[in-house]
C-alpha cells in the first residue's frame, strides 16, 4: 500500500517529523502522484493500517485520514477523505516517507490548508512552517511546543512554489496570507505577535508591518570596547528603529522551577541534601545571569539606535493589555523618532475593532 498524506494528516506528519529532527531543506527523496496508485480497483479496510510498519494516523471517527488522489480514483472507505488533484504537480510536490506513504511538501501543504483555515490561522501556520518551532502533532493547541527545529520551508520557497503555475485549490488565499508571513519565528508567542502586527486593521490586526524577526544586529559587548557581538531582537518594525523582545517565563524568569528546587532542597534528607542545594544554587545563578544578560542586551541595542521594549505574558494576555503595550510602543516611536502614529492610534481607539482584535488574539 502506498498513499499520499494530505491536508490535516500531512500537517500531523510534518509536525511529527520536524519534532524528530527532520530537515526538509535537505530532503532529496521525492515522488509523483502517479507512483502511488496501488489502491486503484481495490477495496480498503482497517486491516490495511494494522501493520506495525504503518506509523502514520489510522483512519477513525475521531481523526479522518486525508489523502491526495488522482481524478476518478477516490478511496472509498469510512473515515478516509480523498482530495482529488486535478492539476499537474511538480516532481518536488510529494516527499517519499517510506514504502507505505508519501506526504505533500510543506509548500503544497500551506496552499491546501488555505481551503479550511481562517486567514489569521493560515498566517500563523506560515510562521510555524517558516520558523524554528513546531506544535505538538497530537495536541496542537495545548500540547508542548518543540523549539530549535529546522524550518520546514521559507517565505521565498512558498512564493516560488505558488509562482510555478500549478493549479491547486487555495492558491489565491495562500498568496494573500503569505504577504503577512515572515521567516525566522522562534516561538509561538513571537508568531502570535507577528501575526497581530502584520495583519491590517480590516483583518483585526494592528497594521504595523512589515516586520523582521530575529534579525542579526551587531553590538559593542562592553563599553569602550572594540569587540563586537551579536543580538537578535525578536521583532523589529520598519516604520521606526523600534522593536520587541518577548521574555517568556521559562527562559527568562523560571520562578516555578526555582520554587520546585527550593522545596526539594528543604525536604532533602542528609544523603541527597548536598546535591539538592547544589542544583538550587545553580538555578539561582542561571536566573541571575539571564537577568543581567537581558539588561546588557537592552543597553547594547539602545547604543545601536534601537529601542527594543520587553514584553511579558502579563503585557499581552488579557483584555486590552496588548493594546496598551502597543500604545506605549507607538508613543516611543513618536517621542524618540518623530513618527506620525495618528493612523495607528485610530485603529486602537475603535471600540469594535478592539473587541474583534482581542477575540482574534485569543483564537491564535
Amino acid at each position: 500500500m502506498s498513499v499520499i498524506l494530505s491536508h490535516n494528516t500531512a500537517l500531523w506528519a510534518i509536525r511529527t517529523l520536524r519534532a524528530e529532527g527532520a530537515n526538509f531543506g535537505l530532503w532529496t527523496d521525492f515522488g509523483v502522484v502517479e507512483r502511488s496508485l496501488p489502491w486503484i480497483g481495490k477495496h480498503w479496510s482497517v486491516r490495511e493500517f494494522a501493520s506495525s510498519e504503518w506509523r502514520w494516523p489510522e483512519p477513525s471517527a475521531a481523526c479522518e485520514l486525508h489523502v491526495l488522489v488522482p481524478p476518478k480514483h477516490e478511496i472509498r472507505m469510512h473515515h478516509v477523505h480523498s482530495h482529488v488533484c486535478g492539476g499537474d504537480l511538480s516532481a518536488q510536490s510529494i516527499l517519499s516517507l517510506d514504502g507505505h506513504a508519501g506526504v505533500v511538501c510543506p509548500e503544497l501543504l500551506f496552499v491546501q490548508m488555505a481551503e479550511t483555515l481562517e486567514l489569521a490561522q493560515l498566517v500563523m501556520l506560515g510562521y510555524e512552517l517558516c520558523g524554528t518551532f513546531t506544535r505538538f502533532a497530537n495536541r496542537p493547541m495545548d500540547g508542548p511546543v518543540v523549539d530549535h527545529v529546522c524550518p520546514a520551508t521559507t517565505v521565498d520557497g512558498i512564493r516560488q512554489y505558488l509562482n510555478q503555475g500549478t493549479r491547486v485549490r487555495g492558491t489565491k488565499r495562500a498568496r494573500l496570507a503569505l504577504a503577512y508571513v515572515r521567516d525566522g519565528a522562534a516561538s509561538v508567542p513571537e508568531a502570535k505577535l507577528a501575526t497581530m502586527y502584520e495583519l491590517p486593521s480590516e483583518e483585526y490586526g494592528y497594521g504595523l508591518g512589515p516586520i523582521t524577526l530575529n534579525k542579526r544586529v551587531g553590538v559593542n559587548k562592553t563599553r569602550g570596547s572594540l569587540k563586537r557581538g551579536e543580538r537578535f531582537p525578536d521583532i523589529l518594525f520598519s516604520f521606526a528603529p523600534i522593536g520587541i523582545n518577548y521574555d517568556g517565563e521559562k527562559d527568562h524568569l523560571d520562578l516555578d522551577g526555582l520554587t520546585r528546587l527550593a522545596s526539594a532542597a528543604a525536604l532533602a534528607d542528609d544523603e541527597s541534601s548536598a546535591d539538592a542545594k547544589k542544583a538550587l544554587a545553580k538555578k539561582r545563578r542561571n536566573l541571575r545571569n539571564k537577568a543581567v544578560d537581558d539588561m546588557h542586551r537592552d543597553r547594547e541595542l539602545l547604543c545601536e539606535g534601537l529601542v527594543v521594549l520587553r514584553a511579558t505574558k502579563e503585557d499581552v494576555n488579557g483584555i486590552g493589555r496588548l493594546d496598551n503595550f502597543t500604545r506605549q510602543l507607538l508613543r516611543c516611536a513618536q517621542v524618540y523618532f518623530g513618527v506620525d502614529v495618528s493612523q495607528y492610534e485610530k485603529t486602537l481607539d475603535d471600540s469594535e475593532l478592539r473587541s474583534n482584535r482581542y477575540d482574534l488574539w485569543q483564537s491564535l
Side-chain angles (χ1 to χ4, degrees):
M1 178 181 65
S2 181
V3 298
I4 299 172
L5 307 180
S6 180
H7 290 74
N8 296 70
T9 308
L11 179 55
W12 185 98
I14 287 176
R15 280 173 167 162
T16 298
L17 290 165
R18 293 185 72 199
E20 293 175 352
N23 187 343
F24 286 86
L26 301 178
W27 208 283
T28 57
D29 194 4
F30 303 104
V32 293
V33 174
E34 287 73 22
R35 289 184 188 171
S36 300
L37 300 181
W39 59 62
I40 295 178
K42 181 177 180 179
H43 296 288
W44 281 34
S45 71
V46 292
R47 289 192 300 272
E48 302 288 348
F49 304 94
S51 170
S52 60
E53 296 179 6
W54 177 261
R55 58 168 299 195
W56 316 107
E58 299 178 13
S60 67
C63 181
E64 277 198 337
L65 179 70
H66 292 260
V67 297
L68 191 68
V69 300
K72 300 180 181 179
H73 295 302
E74 293 92 335
I75 299 174
R76 289 176 173 82
M77 177 180 166
H78 287 306
H79 312 311
V80 174
H81 190 123
S82 296
H83 298 270
V84 177
C85 177
D88 293 330
L89 297 178
S90 66
Q92 296 186 351
S93 294
I94 309 300
L95 310 179
S96 299
L97 297 177
D98 52 35
H100 301 274
V103 66
V104 299
C105 66
E107 296 80 11
L108 178 53
L109 172 65
F110 183 75
V111 180
Q112 290 180 336
M113 297 306 293
E115 295 183 68
T116 58
L117 293 180
E118 297 293 333
L119 180 64
Q121 278 72 37
L122 184 59
V123 172
M124 273 289 291
L125 176 60
Y127 277 107
E128 180 181 349
L129 293 174
C130 298
T132 57
F133 72 93
T134 186
R135 293 183 185 270
F136 188 57
N138 290 326
R139 287 164 46 208
M141 295 304 293
D142 62 351
V145 175
V146 183
D147 299 319
H148 309 298
V149 300
C150 296
T153 183
T154 63
V155 172
D156 280 344
I158 297 174
R159 184 178 296 113
Q160 290 174 16
Y161 188 86
L162 291 170
N163 290 340
Q164 289 179 352
T166 302
R167 291 178 296 174
V168 180
R169 285 192 295 271
T171 297
K172 183 177 180 180
R173 190 170 180 80
R175 288 186 189 278
L176 175 62
L178 190 63
Y180 306 116
V181 179
R182 304 288 174 246
D183 292 325
S187 68
V188 171
E190 282 183 26
K192 288 180 65 174
L193 287 169
T195 298
M196 294 299 298
Y197 285 123
E198 278 282 354
L199 285 175
S201 59
E202 55 266 29
E203 295 292 342
Y204 309 127
Y206 291 101
L208 295 180
I211 64 169
T212 304
L213 292 165
N214 294 293
K215 180 180 179 180
R216 186 190 306 268
V217 177
V219 297
N220 282 324
K221 295 299 291 182
T222 58
R223 182 180 177 183
S225 171
L226 296 178
K227 184 179 179 181
R228 298 285 282 180
E230 295 175 336
R231 293 293 187 178
F232 299 83
D234 294 344
I235 295 175
L236 287 178
F237 294 92
S238 57
F239 66 89
I242 197 166
I244 299 171
N245 270 319
Y246 182 81
D247 287 1
E249 281 185 295
K250 183 177 179 180
D251 294 332
H252 296 268
L253 192 60
D254 184 15
L255 295 181
D256 288 342
L258 181 64
T259 301
R260 285 194 297 270
L261 289 174
S263 297
L267 298 174
D269 55 28
D270 293 340
E271 187 175 336
S272 59
S273 176
D275 289 340
K277 289 179 179 179
K278 186 181 296 185
L280 176 60
K282 180 180 179 181
K283 185 68 172 181
R284 292 176 58 185
R285 186 167 58 252
N286 289 344
L287 286 177
R288 176 68 182 178
N289 290 342
K290 183 57 182 173
V292 171
D293 184 64
D294 286 344
M295 288 187 283
H296 287 173
R297 175 199 65 192
D298 296 343
R299 291 206 305 263
E300 290 162 3
L301 291 171
L302 190 59
C303 289
E304 300 301 324
L306 295 174
V307 176
V308 181
L309 305 183
R310 292 198 211 183
T312 66
K313 74 170 188 177
E314 290 82 3
D315 293 317
V316 300
N317 293 324
I319 296 176
R321 291 184 178 179
L322 184 55
D323 282 0
N324 292 338
F325 178 85
T326 303
R327 286 185 188 276
Q328 291 179 321
L329 186 145
L330 293 174
R331 178 65 175 161
C332 287
Q334 182 183 48
V335 170
Y336 291 107
F337 305 108
V339 177
D340 181 4
V341 297
S342 57
Q343 59 175 326
Y344 305 128
E345 289 179 333
K346 287 180 181 178
T347 297
L348 290 171
D349 292 335
D350 189 311
S351 59
E352 183 178 353
L353 286 177
R354 188 184 310 129
S355 176
N356 290 330
R357 190 163 51 241
Y358 180 69
D359 289 342
L360 175 60
W361 172 260
Q362 292 290 90
S363 75
L364 296 179

